[in-house]
Amino acid sequence: MTAKQEDDDATMEAPPANDDADISFAEREDDDDREDAADVHVASSLDHSDLFSAVEESVISCRPLVDFFYHPNNNDDNSAAKLTTRQRRDVICSIVKSPKFNKTRARRLFSGLTPLLRKVVDEESYIPDQDDDGDVIVDANAASTLAVLYLRICAFLVDAYLDGLLKRQRKGTATSNNNNNKRVEVIDEVFEVAEMLHDLLFPLQNCGKEGMTTQSAIFSMCENYWHGNFEDKELFVTQLIPLLLVKSLEDTAQKNDVKRLCSIRDAIDLLDFECESITTLKNHLLRTVANPLFLQSTEGKKFITHLFQVDASLVVDLHKAIKVQLFEAKRSILNAYGEIYYNAWKQSAETTKEDEEEEQGGEIQTSIEENALQDMMYFQIHAANPKIVSSIRIVLDKFYVNKKSPDVESMLHRCYGPLLWRSLSATNARVRLQAAVVLSDTFPLRDPDAGQEWTEACVQKSVEALISLMSDEVAAVRVAGSNATAKILSEFWVAIPANDIRKLLNHIIAKHASDLTSSAVRATAIKTVTTLLEEDKTHAVLRSLLPSLGNLIHDKSEKVRLAVVEMLLFVKKIRGMKYYHIVDPQNLLSRLADEGRGRNNPTGPVAIGLSELLSNSFFPVGKNKTMSDIINRTLRLLTDNPGAAVTFYRNAGTQLGVNSISKLIAALMRCLCMLIVQDKKMNYEDISNLSIVMADDEIDSAKVPPNTALMATIAESIMILWGSIEADLKHEQNESAADILMEVFSGNVLTEVYSHFESKTVDGLEDVKLAECSRACVAILDCAGKMKEAEIEGLRAHVIGELAKATGMPPEKRTRMNFSPNMALLCEWGMTEDVAQCLSNSILNYFSLENLDGKSNLSKKRKLRGKKAAAKDELPQLDIETSLGILGNILKGSFPASLSARNSIIKSETACNAISTALQSARTAADTIIKSQQADESEVSITKIKHIGNAIECYGRLLIHKEAMRGEVPMRLSQEAKELLSWVTDNIIPSMMKSVAVEEENSLSKLDISAISGIGSPMTCDDPPRRKSNRRSARESDVSFLSSDQATSNTLPGASKHTSSGSAVSISSASSVLSTFAEWLSISGAESFLLIHISKWCQVLGATDNIKTRESLLGSLFHVALRSLKDDRDATVFKELLLHLKDVDPGTKEKEIIMESLSIITSLRDEQIATQALATIIYVTRSIIVQAGESDSAEFLDMVGPGMKEVLLSILNNKRSSLLLAKCLLNEPKVSSVRECLVKEIRANSPMSDALEAVVRDLSGEKVVTDGESEEETEVEEMPPIIPEQAEAAKISALLSQPEAGVVVA
């Protein structure tokens, strides 16, 4: 192609698809005036004669007319030559639109276009050439290109003529009273051209880019023909509808495509849906209900709504297409479906009313109600999947919201009447529950035309149904009944008789609120009352009933307590009602204090709600409230109920501003200093160094005598309050709040306050006061860590000096001291590596080879060096008890500052490596003791064994936190952790086995290692349980697995007793590693490497007859097994543990461990876990029986071994576990001796209940048919067996858990 041809091609290029050709008729109509103005702006000398000349010259070729439109020649005047292609086209079209362009001129123009147009159509000269690959060849001078452009020009001219004709018609209609619905007449020549162009819509689909642009121009012409109400307009949509529909369903479709299709939706009424040829178009129409572009646009929803009005048979197909989308649809899509269904039904109902003589309207309404709405209503009640039920309810919500409309109410009665009342008493609980929700949504389900008596009867029937639901035996149904009652009473309180209201409230407040079987029922009862309180008209009745609910503030279930707190917060906003008339202040304070104790969450929703409720009591606000009033109120509450005050301060950040909290902290600190001054005066101590300025007008503490507990609580409150705003104080807008704190805490204030409490810890105080002083010291040092070292005078030197004194203290005095906060403070002040070096040196010195005899290497000379070091602000070397105690508390995170210290140690590679290397020396020491052990020649102190165990456990814990700091989820065992596991498997376990095999009466049997078994025992750990939702988060590693008795002391109780065997070291090491990796399971989940190693350790149980050895390991092994079962559904360790219990004759303590562990399993809420555990027990039982062989003389429980006998008895003696065991046996092969024997043992040993008796009958083959049921209904659903009974069953390690039973649709 030459350069000249390329220029011509560029000049002839058609306008883009988003030009006038793509503008809808409605938009075009609004732009008429602007187009006229544009025409005037680009006016030139072109007129109709030029157009006629070009048309008449195009009798044989398309070139003259194309050139006239796109290639102005040099003979044109200057104004015409300067026009762009778009402007020139508009000028030419404006000539045709002009009122001067009469019928004569129109006939001349379009009769001139017709011959060549017919020739192009007949010869198909518009179809371009294609290359070998089937691609269209683009050639601007090709005959096909000229033909396509000619077709486009014809479409423009027809479109322009129709626009002008329509505009003249409108003006004529405005000045006359003619009928606006009268069809506009079109001359035959225009109709003929338009018809030929319309017939080319499909062929142009495959004519390349130029063909698509021309097709778009013809689209616009056909739309104009339809919207202009011209004669025979129906002939111009037969191809327009399918093409616009396909275009709107493409991936590249735009909202404008949907808008254009919606504008001609009335044309779909012309289609015959009974004809078989319409199948393809029908399928495309059904695709629109799943297209997001249609569902997210107003025009798209209008289009789908209109499809429901087209044909009664199409309603069924549309509903089926929508129904399959409901399960995975988002809420916005479900709302769109609801709007479509509602508008479709509403339009069909209006059509029926307007023209009752026509049957079609009534047929469509009936089809929508019976085939669509009633079908969804049926599934809302009977569907087994709750997600489907929820989705359908969202779709139908539009009808429920408008149920007060007579038409909607009548429809709900027609559709739900045959379904609802029968479902409320269905056998299936799921059906009753879902019917209760429908009852609340549709109440009152009545025929509005039936009269008042019928309405009263429907209300009475509904009340009886609600009472029946709230008395249901299934807790979930009772909850649904209570929720339905709340919704109905709050909306129709006036319409329901007072006697019925009394009955309903009696069930909620008197029965549901005291339901002992379900906390959900109790919580829902409180929420129901809260819902009713939202209506003012209910207050008079409920005011006297609310105090009876006050005791639920102490309910054992958190959700019940939270419901009560939310109710009290709502009552607080009601004028004329007081929350403290429902629950008195003393009980509220007690509850707030309890929320900060034990396993409760001090910053949970209950504590936050109570803090908000009592905020005015702890921090009164108002114009007349001064800081003196706040301090006096705070001191009184701290004295009367310190636990409640501390919990409140933990949540103060959610109630008070930063400045308010800073002022409160400053006031509390002054108050604390005042109490210390008074305490020192009473003890005749020097107070000259306590340089504190106290404002007498703000603090009046004369009425509050100083005591250690109060001062410790104040110090802890200061720490908690400061921690709640620590992050906010870093912002520039809170500089004034930070200045308030610095003014009070800078200088030597904290040093003097800390010294006061520290001195009391060594004065021989009783344990209670000692704990209070220790608590105060932790709080003061934590506050110091939030400040810079230079802002506090003398505290660093004082802290290091106390550490230097620790080595020279007597053991009993050193035990009373807690140096962990001291080290944590130094870490906060940038001495992390110094702290790590101090601890590592102390540990390395203790576990050095020359120190294995148990003698201390800390000579007087070293102690003197320690004092010199302290004088130089260098950290001294500490004894092993103090070092391990400090390290244990820091790793555990016993107090807030220790968390920061732990993070700084792990982040510092130097510090972390130093401590890790030092702790690994305990393994070396253990190996040395084990290798050097001789039967009666080596002696190792119990104290050293305990230190080895604690050091190994600290090492494992350090590995967990180190891995957690990486931030990878899920966590993976590091190489160091794997080496620790392999060390136990390869060194420790063989040593323990060897000590058993060497000598029948070895020294291990005479060893009392009860003092060792307390090292981080997992069975007595007081740490809160992991929540499954976030148990694999790295944040979970903040909770230590060490027992809580090490949290407040640096040392373990010492013992001078010696033993003549190193096997105790093996037991201590194995127990420590088990404790460590039991915690790993709760944080990160099971790994095959870990479970394989721990499973091997179970062999020790069956290899030794020593009870002390087994007691030391059994608890830890059960802990690991339970963690693996609960968190990962892995029964590998549990199975191996049970298999090795076969030959164990358990003692009293071992029986307690077995019973406690199995009770934990069987009490789990998740029955799948309990079922899996019981299936494992059945499998192990079968394996033992198969291995031992059948014996007619031996009892069944004796054949499984003494250890497994104790396991089975623990299961059989429990009501819930025996029922679950019986259900598991249903999955066993019917021809099974194990199944038969276990059924006999259940009959003999288990407490029989009705449910257990029924299952046992099924197991025994006794079929019982209850009233109203057939034999087919009572058959047990056949399920695959959990474990096949085979001789090689012992090789199977994977257990299949019991599958959930599906909900039966009633």
Side-chain angles (χ1 to χ4, degrees):
M1 184 182 295
T2 64
K4 176 71 168 57
Q5 290 174 328
E6 291 179 356
D7 293 339
D8 291 342
D9 188 18
T11 308
M12 292 172 59
E13 184 175 350
N18 60 352
D19 288 341
D20 284 354
D22 282 343
I23 300 177
S24 68
F25 174 78
E27 294 171 330
R28 181 195 307 274
E29 189 175 9
D30 294 336
D31 292 339
D32 281 343
D33 295 334
R34 290 195 294 272
E35 288 181 1
D36 292 341
D39 292 346
V40 173
H41 177 69
V42 297
S44 68
S45 61
L46 293 175
D47 57 13
H48 61 275
S49 60
D50 298 322
L51 176 59
F52 290 157
S53 299
V55 171
E56 291 169 356
E57 291 176 4
S58 300
V59 176
I60 300 175
S61 172
C62 301
R63 172 69 69 178
L65 184 59
V66 171
D67 289 343
F68 178 73
F69 260 78
Y70 295 107
H71 297 155
N73 55 43
N74 296 329
N75 296 326
D76 292 338
D77 62 4
N78 292 334
S79 60
K82 293 179 180 179
L83 296 177
T84 64
T85 302
R86 173 68 178 271
Q87 290 174 337
R88 185 177 181 86
R89 187 193 72 188
D90 291 340
V91 169
I92 296 172
C93 290
S94 66
I95 295 173
V96 182
K97 291 181 184 179
S98 172
K100 298 179 181 180
F101 201 80
N102 52 31
K103 288 185 179 182
T104 303
R105 293 177 177 177
R107 286 191 175 96
R108 179 181 177 185
L109 172 64
F110 291 104
S111 62
L113 294 174
T114 303
L116 183 58
L117 178 60
R118 184 177 292 110
K119 179 181 178 183
V120 169
V121 173
D122 293 341
E123 297 179 356
E124 296 183 345
S125 57
Y126 56 87
I127 299 178
D129 296 331
Q130 296 181 348
D131 57 18
D132 296 337
D133 296 330
D135 297 330
V136 175
I137 299 176
V138 179
D139 185 359
N141 293 320
S144 61
T145 303
L146 294 175
V148 169
L149 292 175
Y150 184 82
L151 296 176
R152 189 186 310 167
I153 293 171
C154 292
F156 287 152
L157 293 175
V158 173
D159 202 11
Y161 176 75
L162 294 177
D163 278 346
L165 185 61
L166 189 62
K167 188 182 299 183
R168 293 192 293 273
Q169 179 69 17
R170 274 201 229 100
K171 291 180 180 179
T173 304
T175 58
S176 63
N177 295 325
N178 295 334
N179 186 5
N180 292 333
N181 295 326
K182 184 179 179 181
R183 294 288 182 94
V184 180
E185 183 181 356
V186 180
I187 60 177
D188 294 340
E189 290 79 2
V190 174
F191 177 82
E192 185 178 1
V193 172
E195 187 178 27
M196 285 189 288
L197 291 174
H198 170 263
D199 294 339
L200 292 175
L201 281 175
F202 273 113
L204 287 172
Q205 190 78 9
N206 300 317
C207 292
K209 182 179 179 182
E210 294 292 345
M212 296 300 294
T213 307
T214 301
Q215 184 190 59
S216 182
I218 300 175
F219 277 161
S220 180
M221 180 205 72
C222 294
E223 289 179 82
N224 201 0
Y225 214 106
W226 173 265
H227 292 297
N229 199 25
F230 295 102
E231 287 183 345
D232 299 321
K233 67 176 184 177
E234 295 84 359
L235 301 177
F236 295 91
V237 294
T238 55
Q239 293 190 22
L240 179 63
I241 292 175
L243 287 172
L244 283 181
L245 180 59
V246 171
K247 188 176 181 181
S248 63
L249 291 173
E250 292 176 349
D251 294 337
T252 58
Q254 303 293 327
K255 286 187 177 181
N256 190 51
D257 297 323
V258 178
K259 188 175 181 180
R260 294 175 68 178
L261 179 62
C262 181
S263 66
I264 62 168
R265 62 186 181 276
D266 293 335
I268 299 177
D269 298 343
L270 304 174
L271 303 178
D272 183 7
F273 284 89
E274 295 181 359
C275 180
E276 295 181 358
S277 62
I278 204 173
T279 302
T280 303
L281 178 61
K282 185 177 180 181
N283 291 335
H284 281 82
L285 290 173
L286 296 178
R287 286 177 56 194
T288 60
V289 301
N291 191 295
L293 196 60
F294 280 81
L295 297 174
Q296 294 171 1
S297 61
T298 303
E299 290 78 10
K301 287 182 283 188
K302 285 182 180 179
F303 180 78
I304 299 174
T305 300
H306 183 77
L307 293 182
F308 277 91
Q309 314 299 318
V310 174
D311 188 81
S313 63
L314 187 60
V315 172
V316 179
D317 296 328
L318 288 169
H319 174 63
K320 289 180 180 179
I322 291 176
K323 194 164 63 172
V324 297
Q325 304 293 327
L326 296 182
F327 185 75
E328 298 294 339
K330 297 180 181 179
R331 189 177 185 89
S332 59
I333 301 299
L334 295 174
N335 288 329
Y337 284 140
E339 184 178 346
I340 290 170
Y341 275 111
Y342 179 77
N343 291 333
W345 173 84
K346 188 176 180 181
Q347 289 180 16
S348 65
E350 291 174 353
T351 303
T352 304
K353 283 185 177 180
E354 291 174 359
D355 193 359
E356 295 181 354
E357 295 181 358
E358 295 185 7
E359 297 180 356
Q360 184 66 14
E363 289 180 3
I364 291 178
Q365 181 183 3
T366 303
S367 181
I368 293 176
E369 291 182 2
E370 294 181 356
N371 298 321
L373 298 181
Q374 196 170 44
D375 182 57
M376 285 194 294
M377 293 172 181
Y378 176 85
F379 277 98
Q380 186 183 358
I381 297 176
H382 296 88
N385 192 323
K387 190 172 182 180
I388 287 289
V389 176
S390 177
S391 299
I392 293 176
R393 189 185 181 197
I394 295 173
V395 173
L396 296 177
D397 186 65
K398 188 80 172 178
F399 294 93
Y400 301 149
V401 171
N402 295 279
K403 66 181 179 181
K404 293 184 179 180
S405 169
D407 293 336
V408 177
E409 190 173 20
S410 179
M411 183 275 296
L412 291 175
H413 177 262
R414 287 194 303 272
C415 295
Y416 268 124
L419 301 174
L420 181 59
W421 303 115
R422 182 174 54 189
S423 302
L424 288 169
S425 57
T427 304
N428 189 278
R430 168 67 63 181
V431 175
R432 299 197 301 273
L433 185 152
Q434 291 164 180
V437 177
V438 172
L439 177 63
S440 66
D441 290 333
T442 60
F443 180 91
L445 191 62
R446 66 183 182 112
D447 184 356
D449 300 327
Q452 183 63 26
E453 293 183 359
W454 173 256
T455 300
E456 293 176 357
C458 290
V459 171
Q460 185 62 35
K461 190 175 183 180
S462 299
V463 171
E464 293 174 358
L466 290 173
I467 294 175
S468 176
L469 290 169
M470 290 191 290
S471 305
D472 198 279
E473 60 181 7
V474 179
V477 179
R478 298 200 297 274
V479 169
S482 186
N483 287 329
T485 302
K487 186 174 182 179
I488 291 172
L489 287 180
S490 61
E491 191 173 357
F492 298 95
W493 182 274
V494 179
I496 299 176
N499 188 40
D500 292 335
I501 292 177
R502 191 179 301 111
K503 291 179 182 179
L504 295 173
L505 291 179
N506 179 63
H507 267 83
I508 294 172
I509 296 177
K511 296 182 179 180
H512 279 199
S514 58
D515 192 320
L516 300 178
T517 62
S518 174
S519 59
V521 174
R522 299 194 299 274
T524 305
I526 304 300
K527 293 177 182 178
T528 298
V529 174
T530 306
T531 302
L532 294 177
L533 286 171
E534 296 175 2
E535 301 296 328
D536 296 341
K537 50 185 173 289
T538 65
H539 295 172
V541 176
L542 293 176
R543 183 179 284 106
S544 60
L545 301 176
L546 292 178
S548 62
L549 303 175
N551 290 333
L552 292 176
I553 191 68
H554 298 296
D555 194 279
K556 64 180 181 179
S557 173
E558 183 182 18
K559 59 184 175 183
V560 178
R561 301 196 301 271
L562 179 61
V564 175
V565 171
E566 290 174 347
M567 180 186 71
L568 295 176
L569 287 171
F570 190 84
V571 170
K572 187 178 180 181
K573 301 175 184 177
I574 299 176
R575 189 173 183 179
M577 297 182 72
K578 305 297 181 183
Y579 69 89
Y580 47 77
H581 291 162
I582 302 172
V583 182
D584 61 86
Q586 190 59 40
N587 276 292
L588 291 174
L589 291 174
S590 299
R591 181 69 259 157
L592 184 60
D594 288 341
E595 288 299 319
R597 301 190 187 107
R599 294 180 179 272
N600 296 325
N601 187 0
T603 57
V606 178
I608 292 176
L610 287 172
S611 300
E612 181 182 354
L613 190 68
L614 300 172
S615 58
N616 289 336
S617 300
F618 285 90
F619 197 89
V621 294
K623 296 181 180 180
N624 299 326
K625 300 297 181 181
T626 63
M627 184 56 67
S628 178
D629 296 329
I630 295 174
I631 290 300
N632 291 330
R633 182 79 62 86
T634 302
L635 286 176
R636 187 162 62 252
L637 290 171
L638 285 168
T639 304
D640 297 340
N641 203 324
V646 170
T647 305
F648 172 80
Y649 292 138
R650 288 186 185 276
N651 302 284
T654 62
Q655 312 298 328
L656 307 175
V658 177
N659 284 330
S660 299
I661 294 178
S662 299
K663 293 177 182 178
L664 181 59
I665 292 173
L668 286 174
M669 188 61 187
R670 292 193 180 100
C671 201
L672 177 61
C673 295
M674 171 78 76
L675 295 174
I676 292 175
V677 169
Q678 292 183 3
D679 190 22
K680 287 193 171 187
K681 286 182 179 180
M682 293 174 59
N683 296 324
Y684 303 101
E685 297 180 13
D686 183 21
I687 61 172
S688 58
N689 292 331
L690 196 61
S691 56
I692 303 175
V693 178
M694 295 166 289
D696 296 334
D697 58 339
E698 289 186 359
I699 301 176
D700 182 15
S701 58
K703 297 180 182 179
V704 182
N707 64 81
T708 305
L710 174 61
M711 290 188 288
T713 303
I714 293 176
E716 192 173 29
S717 301
I718 292 172
M719 176 188 71
I720 293 171
L721 286 168
W722 200 335
S724 67
I725 62 172
E726 183 178 7
D728 296 326
L729 290 174
K730 298 178 182 179
H731 300 157
E732 295 182 0
Q733 62 267 28
N734 295 322
E735 288 183 2
S736 58
D739 294 339
I740 294 174
L741 297 179
M742 292 303 105
E743 181 182 355
V744 177
F745 286 87
S746 59
N748 65 342
V749 176
L750 288 177
T751 305
E752 295 298 330
V753 172
Y754 173 72
S755 301
H756 174 72
F757 290 109
E758 184 194 37
S759 62
K760 291 189 175 186
T761 60
V762 294
D763 290 344
L765 295 176
E766 57 189 37
D767 292 341
V768 176
K769 290 187 177 181
L770 177 64
E772 300 296 345
C773 290
S774 178
R775 189 158 57 98
C777 289
V778 170
I780 295 302
L781 292 181
D782 185 270
C783 293
K786 294 177 173 61
M787 302 173 63
K788 297 179 181 178
E789 179 186 347
E791 295 172 342
I792 305 176
E793 298 176 3
L795 185 57
R796 179 189 178 199
H798 183 83
V799 166
I800 295 178
E802 292 302 318
L803 290 172
K805 296 177 184 177
T807 305
M809 290 183 181
E812 64 277 2
K813 189 175 183 180
R814 188 170 59 241
T815 303
R816 300 169 64 89
M817 302 293 291
N818 184 12
F819 297 106
S820 303
N822 302 41
M823 287 296 196
L825 176 62
L826 296 178
C827 290
E828 287 283 346
W829 283 349
M831 298 180 62
T832 301
E833 295 183 2
D834 297 327
V835 169
Q837 194 64 40
C838 172
L839 297 176
S840 60
N841 288 341
S842 302
I843 297 172
L844 282 171
N845 176 73
Y846 181 79
F847 290 119
S848 61
L849 294 178
E850 57 270 17
N851 195 28
L852 290 178
D853 57 356
K855 297 179 181 179
S856 175
N857 285 340
L858 289 177
S859 60
K860 292 183 179 180
K861 182 178 180 180
R862 182 164 293 182
K863 295 176 184 178
L864 291 175
R865 280 209 311 269
K867 292 184 179 180
K868 285 185 178 182
K872 297 179 182 179
D873 283 354
E874 295 180 1
L875 296 181
Q877 185 169 324
L878 305 174
D879 63 281
I880 186 64
E881 293 183 355
T882 303
S883 299
L884 289 178
I886 291 173
L887 186 57
N889 283 329
I890 288 178
L891 289 176
K892 180 178 180 180
S894 306
F895 44 90
S898 66
L899 297 176
S900 178
R902 184 183 69 202
N903 292 338
S904 61
I905 289 175
I906 295 176
K907 288 179 180 178
S908 172
E909 185 176 356
T910 303
C912 187
N913 290 339
I915 293 179
S916 178
T917 302
L919 292 175
Q920 288 188 74
S921 64
R923 285 173 46 186
T924 305
D927 285 335
T928 302
I929 295 173
I930 292 171
K931 291 178 181 179
S932 63
Q933 68 173 351
Q934 300 294 331
D936 294 315
E937 295 180 5
S938 62
E939 290 188 351
V940 182
S941 68
I942 294 294
T943 303
K944 179 171 285 293
I945 294 173
K946 289 164 57 181
H947 292 331
I948 290 175
N950 274 280
I952 292 174
E953 189 170 352
C954 285
Y955 176 62
R957 187 155 30 122
L958 179 64
L959 294 179
I960 290 180
H961 291 302
K962 185 178 179 181
E963 194 63 28
M965 287 290 289
R966 298 178 185 272
E968 297 178 0
V969 178
M971 293 167 52
R972 298 296 181 188
L973 284 173
S974 62
Q975 185 60 36
E976 295 89 344
K978 292 180 178 180
E979 291 176 358
L980 183 61
L981 284 170
S982 300
W983 174 71
V984 175
T985 303
D986 299 337
N987 292 19
I988 300 301
I989 298 302
S991 173
M992 299 173 69
M993 300 292 292
K994 184 178 180 181
S995 65
V996 175
V998 168
E999 194 175 344
E1000 188 169 324
E1001 293 185 3
N1002 53 69
S1003 56
L1004 186 60
S1005 61
K1006 304 173 184 177
L1007 174 63
D1008 181 11
I1009 56 173
S1010 58
I1012 303 174
S1013 62
I1015 301 175
S1017 175
M1019 299 302 294
T1020 58
C1021 184
D1022 295 332
D1023 295 322
R1026 305 300 191 277
R1027 294 185 182 274
K1028 183 146 188 169
S1029 59
N1030 59 359
R1031 95 183 138 76
R1032 297 182 186 226
S1033 170
R1035 299 283 300 172
E1036 285 291 345
S1037 58
D1038 290 346
V1039 183
S1040 172
F1041 46 80
L1042 280 182
S1043 55
S1044 59
D1045 58 352
Q1046 299 180 36
T1048 57
S1049 174
N1050 301 296
T1051 61
L1052 293 167
S1056 58
K1057 188 174 180 179
H1058 286 69
T1059 176
S1060 58
S1061 175
S1063 296
V1065 176
S1066 301
I1067 298 173
S1068 175
S1069 302
S1071 297
S1072 297
V1073 175
L1074 276 172
S1075 300
T1076 301
F1077 287 100
E1079 187 68 12
W1080 176 277
L1081 287 172
S1082 67
I1083 297 171
S1084 179
E1087 287 191 37
S1088 58
F1089 185 88
L1090 172 62
L1091 297 181
I1092 290 173
H1093 279 272
I1094 296 180
S1095 298
K1096 293 179 180 179
W1097 303 353
C1098 296
Q1099 60 184 313
V1100 179
L1101 298 176
T1104 178
D1105 294 332
N1106 184 264
I1107 296 178
K1108 297 295 183 180
T1109 303
R1110 293 200 305 260
E1111 287 179 359
S1112 302
L1113 297 179
L1114 189 60
S1116 297
L1117 288 171
F1118 261 116
H1119 189 199
V1120 174
L1122 295 186
R1123 284 291 190 193
S1124 182
L1125 265 174
K1126 290 170 57 179
D1127 297 338
D1128 295 282
R1129 312 293 177 92
D1130 194 312
T1132 304
V1133 178
F1134 187 59
K1135 183 198 69 175
E1136 292 296 329
L1137 180 58
L1138 294 178
L1139 285 172
H1140 287 93
L1141 281 177
K1142 175 184 62 174
D1143 300 324
V1144 173
D1145 188 7
T1148 304
K1149 183 66 178 296
E1150 291 172 296
K1151 291 181 180 180
E1152 292 178 359
I1153 294 174
I1154 292 173
M1155 292 179 62
E1156 182 180 355
S1157 301
L1158 294 176
S1159 65
I1160 292 174
I1161 294 176
T1162 56
S1163 63
L1164 293 174
R1165 293 183 180 179
D1166 192 343
E1167 285 193 4
Q1168 285 190 345
I1169 299 176
T1171 301
Q1172 185 180 12
L1174 292 171
T1176 306
I1177 293 174
I1178 296 173
Y1179 163 72
V1180 172
T1181 303
R1182 183 193 305 109
S1183 301
I1184 295 173
I1185 295 297
V1186 170
Q1187 184 178 3
E1190 297 185 2
S1191 176
D1192 297 334
S1193 59
E1195 294 289 336
F1196 175 76
L1197 292 180
D1198 295 331
M1199 293 174 61
V1200 297
M1204 277 300 297
K1205 178 180 179 179
E1206 193 63 36
V1207 171
L1208 289 174
L1209 287 175
S1210 299
I1211 297 297
L1212 293 171
N1213 292 333
N1214 182 274
K1215 181 178 179 180
R1216 182 171 185 264
S1217 62
S1218 59
L1219 177 59
L1220 292 176
L1221 177 64
K1223 291 181 178 179
C1224 286
L1225 291 175
L1226 289 171
N1227 302 297
E1228 289 291 298
K1230 294 184 179 180
V1231 183
S1232 171
S1233 59
V1234 173
R1235 168 173 163 159
E1236 182 180 351
C1237 293
L1238 284 176
V1239 171
K1240 292 180 181 179
E1241 296 299 334
I1242 291 174
R1243 288 186 181 275
N1245 298 287
S1246 300
M1248 299 301 293
S1249 61
D1250 293 340
L1252 180 58
E1253 185 69 32
V1255 178
V1256 170
R1257 285 197 187 111
D1258 290 340
L1259 290 169
S1260 303
E1262 303 173 12
K1263 189 178 294 291
V1264 179
V1265 182
T1266 59
D1267 295 338
E1269 294 182 340
S1270 66
E1271 292 187 5
E1272 295 179 356
E1273 293 173 336
T1274 59
E1275 289 182 1
V1276 178
E1277 181 180 359
E1278 185 176 354
M1279 302 173 65
I1282 294 180
I1283 301 171
E1285 186 173 15
Q1286 299 173 351
E1288 61 270 24
K1291 300 180 182 179
I1292 301 176
S1293 60
L1295 300 175
L1296 301 175
S1297 59
Q1298 182 183 6
E1300 293 185 56
V1303 177
V1304 180
V1305 177

